[in-house]
Amino acid sequence: MSILCIFLFLTTVVVSVQSLPNAELPAFREAPAFRNGRECPKKTWPSSFNNLNRHHHDPSIIHIAMTLDATYLRGSVAGVLSVLQHAACPEHIVFHFIATHRRADLRRTITSTFPYLTFHLYHFNTDLVRGKISSSIRRALDQPLNYARIYLADLLPFTVRRIIYFDSDLIVVDDVAKLWNINLGAHVLGAPEYCHVNFSHYFNSRFWSSPVHATSFTGRRACYFNTGVMVIDLRKWREGKYTEKLEYWMRVQKKNRIYELGSLPPFLLVFAGDVEGVEHRWNQHGLGGDNLEGLCRDLHPGPVSLLHWSGKGKPWLRLNSKRPCPLDALWAPYDLYRHPTLFCDS
């Protein structure tokens, strides 16, 4: 191998798309085509599905929202593959991707990786959160795209009445239709709840010492839930103006600094105690460790339908560094990343 080849390979590996926002996006292998089983209902929408705004609501369609950016793209692609691979009716799944920039490049990447995927790509205007974001415990939590989940009801067409929101650092190992079909009842939002967690840790002393703020949870059995996996009734969200309610707490935070954890605390303030509980199997979270060190963790006891590497440690980064955690081996089979070759033509 020539010295030039070695240099080019090492440069490709070491330089990240995070440090070079205009660099080439990661390349991925083409995913297999996943088709519906015989038990699936007949599709009633055009194959192009180009205009959701004009199309009638079809309850057999499963809508999933995810964000896309260069830094987490490898995780997003693995997540999409996992959903399709385990779905009984993969052709009834529509993905709604949200990005802040490089939409043309991201569209080409998704189209070439998943040629048979039905998806839409939306622009998230960062002006919506300008002046509302405060610094948090981890820089990744401060990115405008981390707050896009607050604006799903505004970004998506009104014909999309329900949405599953997934973070970009998870894989699904069960049929996502089981999560989609949960009964939300009168609730706006469904998610696994963790009532044993010390809820007070998510807000600082300034919050709890304020007579106004500290009474926010009065009358509610407030439990922690992770916002990386949510089932949302978008009609109820729009009717209840929940985006405005979340923005209110973002403004309070900007003025008084009552928490340290990005977009999570506003959701807890608005929804905790009013969430439709989902089985814990649908968010085995925390596999990325905490927000400071990202140490290895074990699975929580019980069955698993979704593995979530929330926290600082991401499986693709740990695999690249040759220092993976044991559970990262469960993520690796869904990794379609096309590794740089060690060989050159010349």
Side-chain angles (χ1 to χ4, degrees), residues 206-218 248-249 252-253 256 258 269:
R206 190 176 292 112
F207 175 87
W208 294 113
S209 63
S210 165
V212 176
H213 299 151
T215 58
S216 301
F217 298 106
T218 301
Y248 165 78
W249 285 110
V252 171
Q253 161 71 354
N256 299 320
I258 56 176
L269 284 159

Side-chain angles (χ1 to χ4, degrees), residues 149-150 165 167 187-199 202-203 217 220-232 237 242 246 261 263-280 282-283 285-286 308 310:
R149 69 196 80 189
I150 293 174
Y165 175 81
D167 270 350
H187 299 290
V188 176
L189 185 151
E193 294 182 290
Y194 303 89
C195 297
H196 64 282
V197 174
N198 189 338
F199 197 79
Y202 294 96
F203 304 92
F217 298 106
R220 289 194 270 169
R221 185 174 179 266
C223 297
Y224 163 76
F225 66 95
N226 180 280
T227 57
V229 177
M230 298 184 288
V231 183
I232 302 172
W237 182 293
Y242 283 94
L246 290 160
L261 277 173
S263 63
L264 169 63
F267 274 89
L268 296 180
L269 284 159
V270 172
F271 290 107
D274 191 18
V275 172
E276 178 62 35
V278 175
E279 287 183 274
H280 288 178
W282 283 105
N283 196 351
H285 67 288
H308 186 187
S310 57

